[in-house]
Amino acid sequence: MFYPTLQAVLALCLLLPAVRAQCPAIPDLASYNNTALPDLFTFVDGHTKVLTLDDWACRRAEISTLMQINELGTLPDDPPPEALDVSFSEDTLTITVTEGGKSITFAPTITYPTTGTGPFPAIIGMGGVSIPIPSGIAIINFDNEAMANQDSSPASRGVGLFFDLFGSDASAGAMMAWAWAVRRIMDALERTPAAKINLAKVGVSGCSRDGKGALVAGAFEPRLVLTIPQESGSGGTDSWRISDYVLSTGILTQTASEIVQENVWLSTNFDQFANTSTDRLPFDHHSLGAMVAPRGLFVIDNLGYDWLGPFSSYGAMVAARAAYQALGATDSLGISQSPNHTHCEFPDYQQDQLSAFIDKFLFDQPTDTNIDQTAGNYTFVVPNARWAPWRVPKLI
Ligand SMILES: *[C@@H]1O[C@H](CO)[C@@H](O)[C@H](O)[C@H]1NC(C)=O
Ligand SMILES: *[C@@H]1O[C@H](CO)[C@@H](O)[C@H](O)[C@H]1NC(C)=O
Ligand SMILES: *[C@@H]1O[C@H](CO)[C@@H](O)[C@H](O)[C@H]1NC(C)=O
Ligand SMILES: *[C@@H]1O[C@H](CO)[C@@H](O)[C@H](O)[C@H]1NC(C)=O
């Protein structure tokens, strides 16, 4: 019989990265107050550090929980839907989801490439796409507004198919409802080989309000390999804290306190933070970007609209890129901020960069996606004392 010596056991323990038996518990955060972007690599308990890939899995789950509780509302996905039925004909995927005796049906349409036989890579268009889609890629059009209304009025809260299924008092804001539906589209595609979509090559995109939704979908649907939020602004790639700061310097930017009055993209759970101080949030939108890591994320911004808070987006996404760096995938998050052009019109300035991302993540081409470019000449580094006073570990 072999009895390992104490030395052998110790040597093994040193060699193997520590596997977390249990994720740290989330403490009471009633007096949480942080004027910087919360450290991605320290758990919200304030002291446990993220050092290993297992730690990061815990930290990512913690961020997901905190964002659901405090901002986006609950993703009702655990357990998965009671029943999901799908039928496919020509170019329409008809999806029926049943929960607690109620059913809803929605029917995304697919525009196929005119050549080739598939399975094709695809981009899910949150309310359509407004980026140029190269040939060879299918476009899946998802009518997000029927799923959860986003008229610019509080009266649209709780209206739409999602709320028919889960109740008009479900905590989810519109964006979380859309993310839920994107997950159901992926479920449906998995069961429908006849739809000829390559499940390992599906991305999501949307512009402006739908760009906010695209980022949330990318964060909460890990089967998506590429997320392209376009001019998403506040509630998307912007940091709540940095947008408050930008407004305080006299630049008219959408902030948390404005957005909760304007629309129903977020859960009412967010009001308590928006009404008091965003410093009380135990995360910010660099955390949302970090949830996408190490999958592809290409952030498209336009400097012409102060309301979109381009500096806020830049800072948040450079900070999110720290998670990519820690995971050894720095170049999977690209940031591109063009000079002014009409909102949601895609400029030539960003064409090569967009192509590099699509070619790498949807066509497996070895392109250079190490993109961090802003026509705004902004400076933002991690670490920095004001916004990101934290160290970036190399996770093992
Ligand atoms: C948070 O901390 C800052 C700096 O320490 C302080 O100025 C601010 O009043 C605090 N805010 C809250 C809501 O406690
Ligand atoms: C936030 O402020 C709005 C507008 O003043 C108000 O309707 C809402 O009840 C407040 N919510 C919370 C949680 O403080
Ligand atoms: C940006 O471009 C749009 C569309 O051309 C224009 O309406 C707007 O005034 C421009 N903004 C700035 C700051 O130049
Ligand atoms: C950025 O720097 C370039 C070169 O100095 C300058 O032409 C441009 O106006 C600057 N852009 C902004 C938004 O300040």
Side-chain angles (χ1 to χ4, degrees):
M1 251 204 192
F2 171 70
Y3 294 95
T5 61
L6 182 60
Q7 284 86 344
V9 170
L10 280 176
L12 260 180
C13 291
L14 290 174
L15 277 174
L16 297 170
V19 174
R20 241 177 215 294
Q22 216 182 332
C23 297
I26 295 177
D28 174 14
L29 297 171
S31 58
Y32 187 90
N33 178 24
N34 190 344
T35 57
L37 304 181
D39 182 350
L40 292 173
F41 310 107
T42 302
F43 285 89
V44 74
D45 67 10
H47 57 85
T48 310
K49 297 291 176 191
V50 175
L51 300 172
T52 67
L53 293 168
D54 287 310
D55 293 344
W56 176 252
C58 280
R59 177 70 174 125
R60 188 184 178 283
E62 179 179 89
I63 289 169
S64 167
T65 300
L66 292 170
M67 292 201 83
Q68 289 182 65
I69 293 174
N70 298 313
E71 182 184 320
L72 298 164
T74 302
L75 174 69
D77 216 349
D78 184 18
E82 226 170 271
L84 184 142
D85 296 302
V86 51
S87 69
F88 176 71
S89 78
E90 270 179 53
D91 61 354
T92 304
L93 205 53
T94 303
I95 305 167
T96 299
V97 186
T98 305
E99 284 287 358
K102 288 189 231 163
S103 293
I104 59 162
T105 297
F106 67 114
T109 53
I110 307 179
T111 306
Y112 286 98
T114 47
T115 56
T117 54
F120 299 102
I123 292 182
I124 299 174
M126 189 62 82
V129 285
S130 36
I131 49 171
I133 306 290
S135 60
I137 294 180
I139 301 170
I140 303 173
N141 267 313
F142 163 49
D143 180 1
N144 56 332
E145 307 219 347
M147 189 54 60
N149 198 304
Q150 61 166 336
D151 289 340
S152 293
S153 144
S156 60
R157 183 166 298 283
V159 176
L161 291 168
F162 175 92
F163 299 100
D164 294 345
L165 193 59
F166 292 106
S168 58
D169 59 350
S171 70
M175 295 201 288
M176 189 53 101
W178 303 338
W180 175 87
V182 166
R183 289 181 57 78
R184 304 293 75 83
I185 294 173
M186 295 300 284
D187 293 347
L189 290 170
E190 269 178 3
R191 295 182 197 184
T192 316
K196 291 192 287 188
I197 300 298
N198 179 349
L199 261 294
K201 294 279 177 278
V202 181
V204 66
S205 186
C207 191
S208 201
R209 48 181 59 197
D210 296 329
K212 307 178 201 300
L215 180 59
V216 173
F220 285 88
E221 173 44 88
R223 288 169 290 186
L224 295 169
V225 296
L226 179 59
T227 299
I228 309 178
Q230 181 184 12
E231 301 186 51
S232 66
S234 176
T237 54
D238 289 7
S239 150
W240 299 118
R241 287 170 174 83
I242 302 179
S243 291
D244 282 341
Y245 159 76
V246 169
L247 180 65
S248 78
T249 67
I251 298 172
L252 191 58
T253 295
Q254 185 171 39
T255 59
S257 61
E258 191 283 339
I259 206 170
V260 297
Q261 308 289 330
E262 181 186 327
N263 213 304
V264 297
W265 295 306
L266 307 167
S267 172
T268 52
N269 298 346
F270 189 58
D271 291 353
Q272 56 174 310
F273 301 96
N275 284 4
T276 56
S277 169
T278 55
D279 293 342
R280 296 179 53 222
L281 287 169
F283 53 81
D284 205 319
H285 275 218
H286 66 309
S287 320
L288 189 61
M291 279 183 69
V292 184
R295 293 169 292 132
L297 174 56
F298 182 51
V299 176
I300 297 172
D301 279 330
N302 174 358
L303 287 176
Y305 297 81
D306 288 347
W307 190 245
L308 295 174
F311 173 66
S312 180
S313 175
Y314 187 72
M317 292 301 109
V318 171
R321 219 170 181 228
Y324 282 78
Q325 185 189 335
L327 291 164
T330 310
D331 64 357
S332 293
L333 194 174
I335 304 167
S336 176
Q337 302 199 300
S338 79
N340 188 31
H341 58 83
T342 304
H343 186 46
C344 293
E345 250 177 32
F346 188 80
D348 289 345
Y349 180 93
Q350 288 161 326
Q351 182 60 65
D352 289 350
Q353 302 166 344
L354 175 65
S355 299
F357 265 85
I358 289 180
D359 288 349
K360 176 175 282 183
F361 289 96
L362 301 186
F363 290 119
D364 274 333
Q365 298 297 310
T367 57
D368 180 5
T369 51
N370 192 13
I371 297 163
D372 174 0
Q373 180 174 328
T374 173
N377 307 327
Y378 303 132
T379 304
F380 194 103
V381 292
V382 178
N384 77 74
R386 170 68 187 88
W387 294 113
W390 18 284
R391 302 216 141 274
V392 183
K394 178 94 192 83
L395 303 178
I396 48 167

